[in-house]
Amino acid sequence: MTHPTTPTARICPNCDGFATAAITTGRRDRHGHRHTITANCPACHGQGTVPARARESARA
């Protein structure tokens, strides 16, 4: 008997699933820690996946 297969993940083609990145500003606070900002992928809004509807319309 075969096992049910799970559907493949709909990974965002723009960020390859790495939707959020921490970027250092180069500054440090008084404790010596670096200031960072987060940048999200503009295509998937930081989710890492693309809805099936958007994926199908991108193929056409």
Side-chain angles (χ1 to χ4, degrees):
M1 182 154 75
T2 61
H3 292 280
T5 59
T6 58
T8 57
R10 299 179 308 258
I11 296 175
C12 175
N14 294 324
C15 65
D16 291 329
F18 296 98
T20 304
I23 302 169
T24 182
T25 61
R27 296 179 27 203
R28 293 182 182 261
D29 64 6
R30 62 186 175 128
H31 299 290
H33 301 136
R34 290 203 179 262
H35 287 266
T36 58
I37 58 172
T38 55
N40 292 328
C41 172
C44 65
H45 305 291
Q47 296 295 316
T49 59
V50 177
R53 209 172 346 151
R55 184 177 52 153
E56 293 300 322
S57 64
R59 287 185 188 172

